[in-house]
Amino acid sequence: MTCAACVRRVENALNSIEGVREANVNLATGRATIIHEPRWGGLAQLSRVIADQGYEFLGEIQDDLPDPIEASRIEELRDLKIKVTVGAILSVIIFFGSMQHWFPFLHSIPRQALLVAMFVLTAPAVFWVGSRFFTGTYKAALQKTSDMNTLVAVGALSAYGYSAAATFFPQFFTVAGFMPHIYYDAAAMIVTLILLGRLLEAQAKSKTSSAIKNLMNLKPKTARLIKDNREIEIRVEDVRVDDMVIVKPGEQIPVDGVVLSGESTVDESMLTGESMPVNKEKGQKVFAATMNKTGSFTFRATGVGAQTALAQIIRMVEEAQGSKAPVQRLADKIASVFVPAVFVIAMVTFAVWYFIPSETNFSRALINFVSVLVIACPCALGLATPTAIMVGTGLGAQSGILIKGGETLEKAGKLSAVVFDKTGTLTRGEHSVTDVVTTTDYDERQVLAYAAALEKKSEHPLAQAILKKAQAEAITVDDVDQFTALSGMGIRALLADKPCLAGNRFFMESEGVNLARLNQEAEKLTGEGKTVIYIAVEKQAIGLVALADEPKASAKKTIDILRRSGLKVIMITGDNIGTARAIGGRLGIGQVLADVLPGSKADEIKKLQTSGEVVAMVGDGINDAPALAAADVGIAIGAGTDVAIEAGDITLIRDDLLGVPEAIRLSQATMRVIRQNLFWAFFYNVAGIPIAAGVLYPFFGILLNPEYAAAAMALSSVSVVGNSLRLRRVWKKKKQQGPTLD
């Protein structure tokens, strides 16, 4: 495919296949993404309709097979380099012959002999070097349509045919009353310059997909398995789920798995963008292509081949790069009528220049006709969106941000409100001891020792938090007798033959424990959204332990960045209003939606949308999935559940909330580049075609030779791809400045 008109034609053909619901064709990647019903025409019909349109079907992308497009692209680059080189050499020789009067060493050669020589030399320059244009024109003609190939082929053929007629039948022109000019150099240079543009464009496009190539190159080649108490090295493709794998320092982890024994630190930066190595020990997950740093460990394989996290990331990015942003639809509509409109303008240009001047000038009319044809460029329109999306989603993948497609990018750039789930998203999702309050008779370690002993046999998450705190303080935890747990109330047990209690206010009061000395502190802690557990020995209150689900380290900074950028920040939670406001106050969130049941979160999102907000929802749990799907942009925390990640439009691989403003900023930067590309693509054609037609001549005496028109057309496509690649440099600079949305 060569231009937006090609994309339109292939998409229409694919959408005509029985059972196809949607077909998206990407000019930059040369791929089509097809969504179809279970019963559909199949690959055979797909191949047939593509061939009928004059294009080649390279096959279906499969994880375990080489990418056929990559092989085709390498072959195309080699062919382009050869033909551009030959075209350039022939063009220079033909230019010398055309400008014979400039070069004294050519003066002795008869003019007619030189014209015949140029006729012969220009033939391979036009028909062999530019063969793709004529082949494309022929295939388009069979379908009763036209595309960019048609413009170039007709332009080059017109210049060559006119020059050939002037060479062999000069009397035809002299009878008409004017001396014919020859444009062999124009015909050769048109083809060569446009082909040079294709070469530069192909090289630039290969850079836009470098992020995916880098991810693919990370795949390890071998794995070391433990079988029958000995180590064997096999190809990574031969590893199966539940195999025992051993990894030593400095080696890549070959597949996804769970650590069985040993411990180490692992560099996961290629997967998450996080530069600090992560500690791994028994029971923790490890991922393919990450780098083991310090120790050795064995793990059980849980994800191999296409099921590894790396393979799924590559697939998500490829799908995103094959998508379209809604802003591209205008360019697609224009592309469908672009080439016929250019032909009409070129014919009108020829007629005006032939009939209106006082002296008939066929030569000038023809040259302006050719200039209009070759300066028109639907390529830039076709490349404006996909190249930027490819670069943007690739950069996101390298930073641990997976963006599902162009539509998500466009919506993320228009957000007005961001809604955060509380538990597990803004907070760590697990309680920890924040305060220990005592009466005058006991110190903090004694109260914590009693609390840990009473909670030792409990499986409640709060009990585990208290035991963890006691362990961190190196407190010995004694055993208790006659342990009784009362659901929703507390614990009753004997410790050193003393009756002890641990529980909430209602439980203590029902047991006749006087809490007067702890009331003031308890009310203060409860007001901060903390859970209070009272401890009593022999019916006397000795202290209390306060616990809270603490905010993540990055939560406050993330909220500040979003608020400074003008976005409305909202927290949604099933907690009571007091706890919710306490957490919201600590983080600087003014609007809190509390007492919201899991099934009602999506309804709250819809209410915000009804009020005119463009909403992003940030969540991590199964109960967040409906809200993530209902939001304009769902942002799933990668440490969360698979269901939440599947429902989200953006996935943050690392459990770091600073990825939220980073994802929004990347979306905004990508959309800026897309809008710039589309503006310059439209502006180029709106300005270039009239100049080629000669509208400036009556005022400034400016006319455009076909060689300059061809160079301008070639550069327009290269400039669009180059502007997309500029996003890399802009993004790198912004990342160095820190996580802001300014």
Side-chain angles (χ1 to χ4, degrees):
M1 298 181 297
T2 57
C3 66
C6 298
V7 170
R8 185 83 170 181
R9 201 157 82 222
V10 176
E11 277 185 347
N12 288 339
L14 294 175
N15 281 312
S16 70
I17 297 173
E18 180 187 358
V20 170
R21 286 192 301 183
E22 182 183 344
N24 280 322
V25 175
N26 189 308
L27 177 62
T29 61
R31 294 184 178 185
T33 304
I34 297 171
I35 300 170
H36 59 79
E37 304 290 349
R39 293 174 60 87
W40 71 297
L43 289 177
Q45 189 178 349
L46 184 149
S47 176
R48 187 167 58 254
V49 299
I50 290 174
D52 288 345
Q53 293 298 319
Y55 300 94
E56 182 184 358
F57 176 55
L58 295 177
E60 183 184 9
I61 300 294
Q62 296 182 23
D63 292 320
D64 54 346
L65 294 176
D67 185 353
I69 293 172
E70 190 61 29
S72 174
R73 187 168 285 152
I74 292 169
E75 179 63 32
E76 182 190 25
L77 279 169
R78 184 164 55 244
D79 180 64
L80 283 170
K81 286 175 182 176
I82 292 170
K83 289 189 173 179
V84 166
T85 303
V86 172
I89 293 169
L90 289 173
S91 295
V92 170
I93 296 170
I94 295 163
F95 174 77
F96 273 75
S98 298
M99 300 300 175
Q100 183 183 16
H101 57 285
W102 286 7
F103 305 103
F105 63 89
L106 296 175
H107 289 174
S108 60
I109 301 174
R111 182 61 178 168
Q112 187 61 27
L114 207 54
L115 290 176
V116 172
M118 286 191 290
F119 169 80
V120 173
L121 290 172
T122 307
V126 171
F127 298 108
W128 181 74
V129 174
S131 59
R132 64 178 57 213
F133 302 122
F134 293 96
T135 303
T137 299
Y138 173 71
K139 290 177 178 178
L142 289 178
Q143 300 300 317
K144 299 182 178 62
T145 185
S146 56
D147 56 23
M148 191 206 146
N149 291 313
T150 313
L151 297 177
V152 178
V154 171
L157 193 60
S158 299
Y160 182 71
Y162 169 72
S163 300
T167 298
F168 296 105
F169 307 102
Q171 65 277 9
F172 171 79
F173 299 96
T174 54
V175 168
F178 64 91
M179 289 300 295
H181 295 278
I182 55 95
Y183 295 100
Y184 289 122
D185 56 337
M189 287 184 182
I190 285 170
V191 169
T192 303
L193 287 170
I194 293 175
L195 215 57
L196 174 62
R198 290 275 178 91
L199 174 60
L200 296 174
E201 180 187 309
Q203 290 174 331
K205 281 196 293 186
S206 68
K207 293 179 184 176
T208 62
S209 59
S210 61
I212 281 289
K213 291 176 186 173
N214 291 341
L215 287 174
M216 288 179 168
N217 290 337
L218 291 171
K219 291 179 180 178
K221 301 295 186 291
T222 61
R224 192 180 286 109
L225 266 57
I226 298 179
K227 286 195 174 181
D228 301 326
N229 293 321
R230 62 191 183 91
E231 293 182 17
I232 59 170
E233 192 168 298
I234 63 171
R235 294 188 317 143
V236 74
E237 290 83 5
D238 297 330
V239 179
R240 297 291 177 261
V241 173
D242 291 332
D243 278 349
M244 290 262 293
V245 185
I246 184 169
V247 184
K248 296 181 178 179
E251 293 181 345
Q252 272 187 305
I253 296 170
V255 295
D256 291 2
V258 176
V259 177
L260 296 175
S261 63
E263 59 181 81
S264 181
T265 57
V266 176
D267 179 1
E268 295 183 341
S269 58
M270 48 68 57
L271 201 66
T272 65
E274 176 57 59
S275 58
M276 292 296 292
V278 181
N279 289 322
K280 298 290 180 179
E281 54 190 28
K282 184 178 179 180
Q284 292 189 312
K285 293 181 180 179
V286 291
F287 302 99
T290 55
M291 182 64 71
N292 184 31
K293 302 292 283 186
T294 53
S296 297
F297 60 89
T298 60
F299 69 92
R300 180 175 61 85
T302 58
V304 300
Q307 280 72 51
T308 64
L310 177 64
Q312 290 168 3
I313 288 169
I314 291 171
R315 193 178 304 114
M316 283 181 70
V317 177
E318 285 177 336
E319 288 173 1
Q321 292 187 340
S323 67
K324 285 188 179 181
V327 72
Q328 177 69 14
R329 289 174 190 151
L330 175 61
D332 288 346
K333 288 177 182 177
I334 291 173
S336 64
V337 297
F338 184 87
V339 175
V342 170
F343 267 111
V344 170
I345 294 170
M347 295 299 292
V348 170
T349 299
F350 180 88
V352 168
W353 280 93
Y354 186 74
F355 293 110
I356 290 182
S358 55
E359 293 184 6
T360 299
N361 192 335
F362 180 87
S363 178
R364 176 45 62 188
L366 178 69
I367 290 307
N368 287 351
F369 168 81
V370 172
S371 294
V372 169
L373 290 180
V374 298
I375 201 170
C377 185
C379 300
L381 288 173
L383 292 168
T385 298
T387 52
I389 289 176
M390 286 175 70
V391 175
T393 52
L395 288 170
Q398 291 175 337
S399 302
I401 302 166
L402 299 184
I403 301 169
K404 283 194 175 177
E407 189 169 355
T408 298
L409 280 168
E410 188 162 338
K411 286 180 179 177
K414 299 176 181 177
L415 292 174
S416 62
V418 182
V419 179
F420 286 89
D421 169 56
K422 182 183 83 71
T423 306
T425 302
L426 285 173
T427 64
R428 293 201 295 260
E430 57 181 32
H431 281 72
S432 57
V433 174
T434 59
D435 303 270
V436 178
V437 179
T438 69
T439 60
T440 54
D441 303 326
Y442 292 82
D443 61 27
E444 289 186 8
R445 287 181 63 85
Q446 288 175 308
V447 171
L448 197 54
Y450 272 104
L454 291 167
E455 299 286 2
K456 187 176 181 179
K457 293 183 179 181
S458 173
E459 294 181 356
H460 195 281
L462 296 181
Q464 301 305 310
I466 291 172
L467 286 167
K468 190 175 180 180
K469 177 68 173 177
Q471 185 179 12
E473 297 286 336
I475 293 173
T476 302
V477 181
D478 297 326
D479 292 324
V480 296
D481 298 315
Q482 299 181 23
F483 174 87
T484 305
L486 292 86
S487 179
M489 300 281 285
I491 292 167
R492 187 186 293 120
L494 290 178
L495 179 57
D497 294 327
K498 295 179 182 178
C500 300
L501 304 170
N504 58 28
R505 172 183 288 275
F506 182 79
F507 176 59
M508 290 294 171
E509 289 176 347
S510 68
E511 293 288 327
V513 178
N514 186 352
L515 302 175
R517 289 192 291 177
L518 297 171
N519 277 342
Q520 188 174 349
E521 281 293 330
E523 287 176 8
K524 174 176 170 289
L525 293 168
T526 303
E528 293 173 359
K530 297 176 181 179
T531 300
V532 171
I533 296 177
Y534 296 91
I535 310 298
V537 177
E538 296 180 320
K539 301 286 185 178
Q540 297 295 316
I542 66 168
L544 61 82
V545 177
L547 303 97
D549 183 6
E550 288 289 279
K552 291 178 180 175
S554 58
K556 181 71 167 66
K557 188 173 183 180
T558 298
I559 303 305
D560 289 343
I561 292 168
L562 294 173
R563 287 180 60 202
R564 282 201 307 270
S565 69
L567 291 171
K568 189 181 293 183
V569 181
I570 303 163
M571 185 177 77
I572 190 167
T573 178
D575 288 348
N576 63 66
I577 189 66
T579 301
R581 281 180 177 165
I583 292 290
R586 289 177 64 184
L587 296 177
I589 301 174
Q591 188 172 349
V592 173
L593 303 175
D595 296 311
V596 180
L597 297 173
S600 302
K601 287 183 178 180
D603 296 331
E604 294 294 336
I605 296 294
K606 289 172 184 174
K607 286 179 187 176
L608 289 168
Q609 290 169 327
T610 304
S611 67
E613 303 288 356
V614 181
V615 183
M617 170 69 192
V618 186
D620 74 315
I622 291 175
N623 62 352
D624 296 324
L628 288 168
D632 296 287
V633 177
I635 303 176
I637 304 294
T641 65
D642 292 340
V643 176
I645 292 168
E646 185 64 30
D649 300 300
I650 296 174
T651 300
L652 306 180
I653 299 176
R654 64 181 188 270
D655 188 12
D656 183 356
L657 287 172
L658 287 172
V660 174
E662 197 172 351
I664 295 171
R665 182 175 63 178
L666 178 60
S667 300
Q668 291 171 341
T670 305
M671 285 310 301
R672 268 197 302 273
V673 169
I674 289 174
R675 284 191 288 268
Q676 289 165 2
N677 285 350
L678 287 171
F679 170 79
W680 286 113
F682 283 123
F683 177 81
Y684 166 82
N685 284 293
V686 168
I689 293 174
I691 292 172
V695 296
L696 297 181
Y697 185 75
F699 308 102
F700 306 104
I702 295 175
L703 288 171
L704 199 63
N705 281 336
E707 299 98 309
Y708 299 129
M713 192 279 276
L715 288 172
S716 67
S717 297
V718 177
S719 65
V720 164
V721 180
N723 191 47
S724 296
L725 290 171
R726 186 179 60 86
L727 180 60
R728 280 202 216 154
R729 190 172 67 254
V730 172
W731 179 245
K732 185 178 180 181
K733 185 177 178 181
K734 283 184 176 292
K735 287 202 74 171
Q736 289 172 345
Q737 292 171 351
T740 68
L741 287 177
D742 298 332

